[in-house]
Amino acid sequence: MMAFYAKLEGKETIREHTDRLLHNLNLLKDAYGHKFMLMDEQMWKLLEIAVQYHDVGKANTVFQNKIRQAIHESMLETDVETNVPHNYLSAGCIPLKQLDLTKEEERLLIHAVGYHHERDQLPEKEMIRHVLENDIKQQLPQLSEHMGLQMTEKFSYRFVDRLLKRYTYHDGEEFWKYVMIKGLLHRLDHAASAHMDVERDVEKSVYINVNEYMQKQGFHKNDLQQFTEQHHDKHVIAIAQTGMGKTEAALLWIREDKAFFTLPLRVSINAIYDRIKEKMGYDAVGLLHSTSVHYLVDKEENWEELKQQSEHYAKKLLLTTIDQILKFPFYYKGFEKELAAMANAKIVIDEIQAYEPRIAAMLIKALEMIHHVGGKFMIMTATLPTLYLEELKQRNVIHDDEFVTGEFIDTDVHRHRICLRSECIEETIGEMLELGETSQVLVIVNTVRKAMSLYDKFLDCDTQVPIYLLHSQFTQEDRQLLEKRIKQFNEKNERGIWITTQLVEASIDIDFDYLFTEMSTLDSLFQRFGRCYRKRALDHDYAIFIFSLKISPAFQEYITNIL
């Protein structure tokens, strides 16, 4: 029997590659089938048919000879030299008449297979006809035997006309069905091509780990954490102040489900990754952002495997940025993969107030689309503009029976007393050194240059107070060591001074005695406040000092523009 190759690596045949997809299809259905709101039995059947036929067009001789030449096998004779993308040819081989499908189901199948690779080259009927009639037709008996599948008895070219009328949002419910079939086919195909399972660690529950961690630490679930745990089956908006254990609250909401946890800052994501994996002992967690590879290389022996599993959304819990998974409102080619991955999952949007309005608008649209495919979302924030809530209601995303919101602000505990000073921060070095002899002092300035300059000024002083420096321009390796050191310094209640930049605003869980900071934007200042008396009631006079003179020129220009 003739072998038809699908992949160069390992001389993998079309049948072998297809069997990898079928394995992943069964794995996905067994693990999360009940979670897919739009996937009934007929939809699963359509997906299976799409899997079986998605690559049969690779039987064309031009494609086969490319692989044969590379693996040094004899070339096949052919008069056909026209190169047509195999996905279009695959759609033409499906025996639609024998499958007993409705016209709409046929359209779903044709489009899922025909566009499982997105090409710049649109389907051209005459080119497709030429290859199917003069090449594939002669291969059909052997291809049918190789695949163990029935092929079409007679080519019909109406499918090309149907392919040219692509699904859009205006197709209503059929559009969402198309998103699911095509998006899941993408996921299965990409995982199979990478020789990996489409889902990993299905049986592991972060809920168990976070409960054990909290018990071991002697933590009792506060009102916020009890609220999210109780409403794990709903969309949740939780407005809570800094230091209330929002990360634990989110993990309690996730329970045993697959989840995507997003934050605006990569350094924040890295910190939570370490916390979940090392402190909570939950290893079914992945990391995905623009520099995650550099971070993983230094931390994980199996970083390549972890990187691949994260990129294909195979991990049970994925910590990521919104640009990696929530940009599908732009309907780019292949957006269906990301959106379909949300359909059986929970999505946490942390620190939504940190995004500018245009990004927030994209997020609102993304949440609407996630709701439509059956995913659940949780928004965690210290401040939520009412505009966001009103927009979600207007888009009919949140209803009383499937959505809850809660506000958790402890007004009894006073954490901050602020002193605004009309001087530059350098003028108070002596004051900081005096406090640093008995306390933990955090200094935050607006630029790396200012941090380095201030550090040098401290070193010029005759003092025994330990002085440390942390900013974003250290190498990745050194920065990780310094971030670990500042947390140890804080936890062990050492004495001294740390000079930092905005790097620490929302990334590192620290609680210092005093904060000396340059004037900054309000959202930035609020984040900085959360690094001082984060989890304690204030027990002395001023703990936060804000300096308004000789701030960086860029920030001065910003202030001038808004006033």
Side-chain angles (χ1 to χ4, degrees):
M1 184 173 72
M2 179 177 171
F4 291 96
Y5 296 113
K7 304 285 181 184
L8 183 62
E9 301 84 3
K11 300 182 181 181
E12 188 173 68
T13 66
I14 300 175
R15 182 68 260 175
E16 288 169 342
H17 173 64
T18 302
D19 285 340
R20 288 187 183 278
L21 268 84
L22 289 172
H23 163 76
N24 274 330
L25 171 59
N26 291 326
L27 193 160
L28 182 67
K29 187 179 179 184
D30 291 344
Y32 298 114
H34 61 292
K35 292 285 184 180
F36 287 102
M37 183 181 74
L38 298 180
M39 295 294 291
D40 58 19
E41 278 306 311
Q42 185 64 8
M43 287 283 285
W44 286 110
K45 177 186 172 185
L46 284 174
L47 179 57
E48 183 177 350
I49 296 170
V51 164
Q52 292 278 21
Y53 286 93
H54 82 288
D55 265 2
V56 295
K58 286 182 176 179
N60 81 86
T61 309
V62 171
F63 185 92
Q64 289 300 307
N65 278 341
K66 281 182 182 178
I67 295 185
R68 284 175 167 272
Q69 184 177 22
I71 62 177
H72 308 295
E73 289 197 7
S74 59
M75 305 291 278
L76 304 174
E77 293 184 10
T78 180
D79 295 328
V80 176
E81 295 182 359
T82 307
N83 189 12
V84 173
H86 74 269
N87 38 296
Y88 301 146
L89 302 175
S90 297
C93 294
I94 302 171
L96 294 173
K97 289 185 177 178
Q98 285 74 43
L99 291 176
D100 191 30
L101 302 176
T102 66
K103 290 294 182 187
E104 196 52 59
E105 288 169 345
E106 286 183 4
R107 186 187 178 205
L108 284 171
L109 191 55
I110 289 168
H111 279 252
V113 172
Y115 291 113
H116 80 273
H117 291 291
E118 293 282 2
R119 312 286 188 184
D120 291 331
Q121 180 183 339
L122 292 173
E124 294 185 30
K125 186 180 290 188
E126 288 310 311
M127 289 177 64
I128 292 170
R129 185 199 304 272
H130 178 68
V131 176
L132 288 177
E133 294 291 349
N134 298 295
D135 185 25
I136 295 285
K137 193 171 187 178
Q138 284 71 43
Q139 316 279 7
L140 281 182
Q142 291 176 303
L143 179 59
S144 182
E145 185 182 2
H146 173 80
M147 295 299 296
L149 290 173
Q150 184 179 10
M151 300 293 164
T152 187
E153 295 175 358
K154 183 181 179 182
F155 293 118
S156 166
Y157 297 96
R158 289 177 55 206
F159 82 91
V160 183
D161 300 322
R162 298 171 86 174
L163 276 177
L164 289 169
K165 297 177 182 176
R166 296 208 63 167
Y167 280 94
T168 72
Y169 188 82
H170 301 292
D171 283 301
E173 288 306 309
E174 298 305 323
F175 169 78
W176 300 104
K177 290 181 180 180
Y178 168 68
V179 164
M180 293 306 302
I181 297 289
K182 182 171 181 280
L184 292 180
L185 179 59
H186 277 305
R187 286 200 66 206
L188 299 173
D189 193 18
H190 295 169
S193 295
H195 287 212
M196 59 177 282
D197 287 344
V198 69
E199 294 288 354
R200 293 294 304 267
D201 304 312
V202 172
E203 74 289 348
K204 294 185 178 179
S205 169
V206 72
Y207 182 75
I208 294 172
N209 288 70
V210 71
N211 271 297
E212 289 177 351
Y213 167 74
M214 292 182 73
Q215 288 172 10
K216 194 178 295 183
Q217 297 292 322
F219 297 155
H220 297 287
K221 292 173 186 173
N222 60 28
D223 290 346
L224 167 66
Q225 293 156 351
Q226 291 178 43
F227 174 78
T228 56
E229 182 179 34
Q230 179 185 350
H231 297 293
H232 64 90
D233 56 340
K234 291 178 167 57
H235 298 311
V236 171
I237 294 181
I239 302 166
Q241 68 190 48
T242 299
M244 289 202 71
K246 287 191 297 224
T247 301
E248 287 81 359
L251 298 177
L252 290 168
W253 174 74
I254 289 168
R255 294 184 75 94
E256 72 285 344
D257 288 309
K258 182 179 179 67
F260 297 87
F261 195 127
T262 74
L263 293 107
L265 296 175
R266 290 169 296 176
V267 67
S268 306
I269 299 170
N270 293 343
I272 290 183
Y273 173 82
D274 289 346
R275 190 168 163 208
I276 291 174
K277 191 160 190 178
E278 295 171 11
K279 291 193 175 181
M280 298 184 186
Y282 185 71
D283 61 1
V285 58
L287 188 68
L288 182 63
H289 55 70
S290 58
T291 58
S292 56
V293 174
H294 305 302
Y295 191 74
L296 292 173
V297 165
D298 294 330
K299 292 192 68 70
E300 309 287 354
E301 288 185 13
N302 64 331
W303 68 268
E304 289 178 294
E305 181 184 11
L306 186 53
K307 166 184 174 286
Q308 199 172 51
Q309 291 169 357
S310 297
E311 287 174 344
H312 292 292
Y313 315 143
K315 279 295 189 183
K316 186 75 178 284
L317 172 61
L318 186 63
L319 303 176
T320 183
T321 46
I322 61 171
D323 62 290
Q324 298 288 335
I325 60 161
L326 295 181
K327 55 188 183 294
F328 43 78
F330 295 113
Y331 297 112
Y332 51 88
K333 288 181 178 179
F335 78 91
E336 300 92 348
K337 177 184 176 181
E338 283 74 28
L339 183 50
M342 305 289 117
N344 63 311
K346 287 177 174 175
I347 297 85
V348 176
I349 312 290
D350 195 6
E351 307 285 1
I352 195 172
Q353 81 282 353
Y355 300 107
E356 63 174 65
R358 286 178 298 178
I359 302 298
M362 182 201 73
L363 277 175
I364 296 298
K365 180 63 178 176
L367 295 178
E368 179 187 2
M369 295 172 76
I370 289 167
H371 171 73
H372 218 118
V373 297
K376 288 279 188 290
F377 63 81
M378 175 181 180
I379 296 174
M380 292 196 303
T381 180
T383 55
L384 182 72
T386 54
L387 176 67
Y388 296 167
L389 201 55
E390 290 167 2
E391 188 66 21
L392 285 168
K393 288 178 179 177
Q394 190 172 330
R395 289 175 176 271
N396 208 27
V397 176
I398 50 180
H399 310 280
D400 291 340
D401 58 338
E402 54 190 48
F403 159 78
V404 292
T405 182
E407 189 168 347
F408 302 91
I409 309 294
D410 186 356
T411 56
D412 293 332
V413 178
H414 297 286
R415 292 193 173 100
H416 301 132
R417 190 172 288 115
I418 300 163
C419 180
L420 182 62
R421 292 166 64 162
S422 298
E423 53 190 318
C424 60
I425 201 166
E426 292 93 336
E427 294 175 25
T428 59
I429 286 177
E431 188 177 337
M432 294 183 215
L433 286 171
E434 186 177 340
L435 290 171
E437 292 176 358
T438 57
S439 307
Q440 296 189 335
V441 179
L442 181 65
V443 182
I444 305 181
V445 292
N446 295 334
T447 65
V448 172
R449 180 181 295 179
K450 186 65 159 290
M452 295 168 67
S453 169
L454 191 58
Y455 179 72
D456 288 340
K457 285 182 171 64
F458 270 102
L459 293 185
D460 290 338
C461 299
D462 183 17
T463 179
Q464 299 300 310
V465 176
I467 311 294
Y468 304 90
L469 178 66
L470 172 60
H471 56 69
S472 60
Q473 289 185 13
F474 281 104
T475 65
Q476 185 78 21
E477 184 179 2
D478 287 344
R479 205 169 93 186
Q480 286 179 30
L481 290 172
L482 285 166
E483 287 174 7
K484 188 175 182 181
R485 179 70 186 96
I486 193 174
K487 285 190 278 190
Q488 288 175 342
F489 173 91
N490 192 220
E491 289 167 2
K492 293 179 179 179
N493 204 25
E494 297 178 31
R495 300 291 178 260
I497 299 170
W498 277 81
I499 302 164
T500 67
T501 59
Q502 64 190 45
L503 179 71
V504 300
E505 285 181 12
S507 62
I508 302 174
D509 187 7
I510 50 177
D511 185 2
F512 275 61
D513 300 319
Y514 292 94
L515 170 65
F516 287 71
T517 175
E518 286 190 300
M519 175 70 78
S520 181
T521 56
L522 279 178
D523 58 336
S524 175
L525 280 175
F526 291 155
Q527 291 285 5
R528 294 178 187 188
F529 295 170
R531 308 306 119 189
C532 177
Y533 274 83
R534 178 179 177 84
K535 300 171 183 176
R536 302 169 286 163
L538 186 65
D539 56 6
H540 55 262
D541 288 336
Y542 296 112
I544 296 174
F545 302 90
I546 302 175
F547 298 87
S548 59
L549 293 188
K550 291 190 180 179
I551 51 180
S552 67
F555 183 72
Q556 191 68 57
E557 182 182 351
Y558 171 80
I559 291 292
T560 303
N561 288 338
I562 64 173
L563 292 178

